[in-house]
Amino acid sequence: MHIPFCLSKCVYCDFLSFANRQDKFEEYVNALEIQAKFYADKTKNKVFDTVYFGGGTPSVLPAFLIEKIIRAVNENFYILPNAERTIEVNPATVDKDKANRLKDLGFNRVSIGMQSNDDCLLKFLGRAHNARQFEETVKILQNAGFNNINADFIMGLPTQTKQTVTDTVKYLDDLGVNHISAYSLILERGTPLSKMVSNGKVKLPDDDFVVCLYDAFVAEAEKHGFLRYEVSNFAKIGKESRHNVNCWKYREYLGLGVGAQSYMFGKRFTAIRNLDKFIQKTNDGKSVVSSSKILSAHERIFEYIMLGLRLEDGINVSDFNNEFDVDFLTVYGNIIERLQKQNLVSFDGTRLKVNKDKFYILNSIITEFII
């Protein structure tokens, strides 16, 4: 469920999100209800084991609107009783009452947009919270009964050092956070940050230093029991994100909302990105799909490999063979042998994995499988 609203737009963000659009909250939620009903018949034979409210900042919605969306999900789709139900929150949008309400609505996992625990960096990024608010939010959520909490963290920001990055791991562990999504900053064209860098007002660390930050983070995370299970995700045992793992294992997903992407019915399809048009077309009973593509077998195979190699456990060759009725080694044996000689991957006859110290060149490794 894509909730595209935010309190404010961060300087690095190029996601499809809108600040100060409270006037559209109810209209948008009503459109989501209509869209859920539209897909009810199409997915009546589907079983969903995760529900994910992403954004934007879903927690910016008042609780009664979040409840309306949850009701639409529960009424129109078959959700497993033990499904993982995640909602993304900003620390500036959660108080005790809302945390308790989210728990009552069935959410059992929360992802908090921390990004940094340095108040100066948070102000620079345009975040709507400070470190103290983040800490209070974690405690509020824990007191509400949440024991599966993720924190987002950005590496590659100005003034960051290996020490501040490793200190952040301990900081989160001490707070009781049990999952960390650690991303390298990507400078997206057209964002305020991109303009600051172009104008020489901001200097970002170079790629080599960001790799050093990442390596330091990985090592410290492991010391504290945060095991890397995907290139950017680290979890205490049993706290891996089921939703994200499903995507990386190339399972189907349905995205509802403006700009939402889906992989279902043998194709990829995307909703229109214009908020007003999305609401109007939905209300008029018209399709909101802006693009749709049935993937060829060749495209599906490459995507399977691309996503699977992001996982620490890599690709199970037997699963691949069963999925595509193609012998993995017959097609890729020479490529695997070449990558092994370069000490980039390991293969034990069952699983193909990127070597632990080579994840920072993952994209280069993946391109070797383009044939």
Side-chain angles (χ1 to χ4, degrees):
M1 308 299 292
H2 181 213
I3 313 300
F5 305 110
C6 286
L7 290 175
S8 59
K9 196 82 169 173
C10 300
V11 296
Y12 58 85
C13 180
D14 78 331
F15 293 142
L16 182 60
S17 59
F18 310 95
N20 301 314
R21 292 307 307 269
Q22 292 87 341
D23 60 308
K24 291 295 181 180
F25 283 4
E26 291 202 49
E27 287 183 72
Y28 184 74
V29 170
N30 291 338
L32 287 181
E33 290 181 298
I34 295 170
Q35 201 183 18
K37 291 176 184 176
F38 172 80
Y39 280 109
D41 285 340
K42 296 178 182 296
T43 60
K44 62 184 178 182
N45 296 321
K46 303 287 186 183
V47 176
F48 295 88
D49 70 336
T50 68
V51 178
Y52 196 101
F53 279 48
T57 306
S59 59
V60 77
L61 292 179
F64 81 93
L65 290 180
I66 297 174
E67 182 177 4
K68 286 188 70 175
I69 304 172
I70 283 290
R71 189 184 307 121
V73 169
N74 292 338
E75 289 177 353
N76 292 288
F77 305 104
Y78 179 65
I79 314 294
L80 288 178
N82 66 340
E84 175 188 271
R85 295 171 178 260
T86 303
I87 184 167
E88 295 179 351
V89 307
N90 182 297
T93 62
V94 177
D95 57 17
K96 180 180 176 181
D97 289 341
K98 179 165 280 189
N100 288 328
R101 195 74 191 100
L102 294 176
K103 187 66 176 174
D104 291 342
L105 290 173
F107 290 102
N108 50 29
R109 184 175 183 272
V110 179
S111 180
I112 311 175
M114 178 190 74
Q115 315 309 353
S116 173
N117 63 337
D118 181 321
D119 283 345
C120 291
L121 282 178
L122 289 172
K123 185 176 181 180
F124 162 73
L125 293 173
R127 299 295 294 172
H129 73 278
N130 56 37
R132 180 183 56 78
Q133 286 176 298
F134 169 74
E135 295 159 14
E136 290 174 350
T137 299
V138 172
K139 292 176 183 176
I140 286 171
L141 291 167
Q142 290 168 336
N143 289 337
F146 287 98
N147 61 7
N148 197 352
I149 298 175
N150 169 69
D152 288 339
F153 176 52
I154 297 177
M155 285 180 281
L157 298 172
T159 74
Q160 277 183 333
T161 66
K162 287 194 285 186
Q163 186 65 53
T164 61
V165 165
T166 55
D167 285 348
T168 300
V169 177
K170 183 179 184 305
Y171 168 81
L172 292 173
D173 191 26
D174 288 345
L175 285 173
V177 170
N178 39 39
H179 188 289
I180 307 173
S181 295
Y183 305 102
S184 295
L185 177 68
I186 298 176
L187 192 62
E188 300 288 1
R189 184 180 303 174
T191 60
L193 181 58
S194 176
K195 295 175 182 176
M196 290 183 224
V197 172
S198 297
N199 295 336
K201 295 180 179 179
V202 172
K203 181 175 175 57
L204 298 177
D206 60 33
D207 291 344
D208 289 341
F209 185 68
V210 175
V211 169
C212 290
L213 294 180
Y214 177 77
D215 287 343
F217 180 90
V218 172
E220 189 67 17
E222 188 169 334
K223 291 179 185 177
H224 289 268
F226 292 98
L227 304 182
R228 180 177 61 186
Y229 66 97
E230 189 270 343
V231 63
S232 298
N233 285 272
F234 305 77
K236 297 295 180 78
I237 294 174
K239 298 300 183 182
E240 299 85 355
S241 167
R242 284 162 52 189
H243 180 82
N244 289 337
V245 169
N246 281 347
C247 295
W248 293 317
K249 289 191 173 181
Y250 211 55
R251 293 169 184 158
E252 290 183 313
Y253 56 89
L254 178 66
L256 301 186
V258 61
Q261 299 187 26
S262 303
Y263 173 54
M264 193 163 277
F265 319 121
K267 59 186 177 182
R268 290 199 181 280
F269 51 100
T270 306
I272 56 177
R273 294 174 60 85
N274 183 289
L275 179 63
D276 292 320
K277 287 183 179 179
F278 174 85
I279 293 172
Q280 187 61 56
K281 282 180 173 287
T282 303
N283 289 336
D284 292 343
K286 298 179 180 178
S287 172
V288 294
V289 175
S290 64
S291 63
S292 178
K293 181 178 182 181
I294 297 176
L295 300 176
S296 68
H298 184 77
E299 288 171 322
R300 290 176 59 234
I301 285 173
F302 177 70
E303 287 191 359
Y304 187 99
I305 294 171
M306 174 186 67
L307 295 169
L309 288 180
R310 293 182 62 89
L311 292 167
E312 186 88 4
D313 286 342
I315 296 170
N316 183 301
V317 171
S318 178
D319 289 346
F320 177 93
N321 294 344
N322 292 334
E323 177 78 18
F324 299 106
D325 196 24
V326 172
D327 185 73
F328 189 75
L329 291 180
T330 298
V331 180
Y332 298 106
N334 291 337
I335 295 173
I336 293 171
E337 186 176 348
R338 184 171 71 248
L339 293 174
Q340 282 181 299
K341 287 180 179 178
Q342 298 175 62
N343 197 32
L344 298 177
V345 302
S346 60
F347 180 60
D348 62 3
T350 301
R351 286 187 175 276
L352 175 69
K353 305 178 183 180
V354 174
N355 288 340
K356 291 179 180 293
D357 60 341
K358 296 298 188 295
F359 267 104
Y360 70 94
I361 56 168
L362 177 64
N363 289 340
S364 296
I365 296 171
I366 290 172
T367 57
E368 294 293 321
F369 290 87
I370 301 177
I371 58 175

